[in-house]
Amino acid sequence: MSNDAGGAFEQISAQSGRLPVAGLDTVFYRMSANDLFLIKAALTATRDAATVQEMADRIEPVSPPLALWVARQADVRATGDVLSTIVGVLLNLYVVSEEPAPPEELHQVIENAGSGQLHRMPLSRRADCFCGSGKKYKSCHGRTP
C-alpha cells in the first residue's frame, strides 16, 4: 500500500513472490473511476492494517467482491501493495482514455502486479508513475530491473 518512491513495491514482490490474482479480472472489469478512487482511499486508510480482514472491512462498502478476495489473502502488506498498484495503474489508464481499461489491458495489469513485474505495465513511458512519486513511469517503476 506504499505510495513512496523508495521501492516498497519491489520489496514486497521480492519477499512474497507471486500473489494469487485469480478472479480479480472479474472484480475490476468496467469498474468506474469513482469506485477506483474510493478503493484507493480505503487502501490509504488501511495502510497500517494488522490483518487482511481489517482491509476487507474497509473495501467492502465499495466492492463486496473485492473484499471477499482480500479476506482470502494471507499477507496484508503484499495484498495492499498489489491492490494499490492495480488501482493506480487503472486510474492512470482511465485518465488517458476516459474509459475503463479493455479486458486484455486489465488482465495484463493484474498479472504484472501479482507477479511483481511493475516495469511491464501497459502505460506510456511518459505517463506519471502509478506509485505517486511524481516521477515519470519510465524513470520510476517503468525501468527494467
Side-chain angles (χ1 to χ4, degrees), residues 3-11:
N3 262 353
D4 65 357
F9 288 101
E10 289 86 352
Q11 291 171 3

Side-chain angles (χ1 to χ4, degrees), residues 62-124:
V62 180
S63 176
L66 182 58
L68 287 173
W69 180 86
V70 168
R72 291 191 305 260
Q73 304 311 305
D75 185 335
V76 66
R77 189 162 175 203
T79 301
D81 282 345
V82 167
L83 287 179
S84 291
T85 299
I86 292 169
V87 170
V89 172
L90 292 178
L91 281 169
N92 196 322
L93 292 170
Y94 213 116
V95 167
V96 171
S97 66
E98 297 181 5
E99 59 186 37
E104 57 279 352
E105 273 189 350
L106 175 62
H107 182 74
Q108 183 181 4
V109 168
I110 291 169
E111 286 297 314
N112 288 340
S115 64
Q117 298 204 24
L118 307 180
H119 64 283
R120 300 188 71 192
M121 294 296 181
L123 296 172
S124 163

Side-chain angles (χ1 to χ4, degrees), residues 20-100:
V21 292
L24 286 180
D25 288 274
T26 310
V27 171
F28 282 106
Y29 181 67
R30 301 201 53 79
M31 187 174 279
S32 71
N34 186 54
D35 284 347
L36 290 170
F37 277 113
L38 291 172
I39 291 169
K40 182 178 180 178
L43 290 170
T44 301
T46 61
R47 179 170 287 139
D48 297 322
T51 67
V52 290
Q53 190 57 51
E54 286 179 54
M55 187 182 299
D57 291 344
R58 280 288 219 182
I59 293 171
E60 199 272 333
V62 180
S63 176
L66 182 58
L68 287 173
W69 180 86
V70 168
R72 291 191 305 260
Q73 304 311 305
D75 185 335
V76 66
R77 189 162 175 203
T79 301
D81 282 345
V82 167
L83 287 179
S84 291
T85 299
I86 292 169
V87 170
V89 172
L90 292 178
L91 281 169
N92 196 322
L93 292 170
Y94 213 116
V95 167
V96 171
S97 66
E98 297 181 5
E99 59 186 37

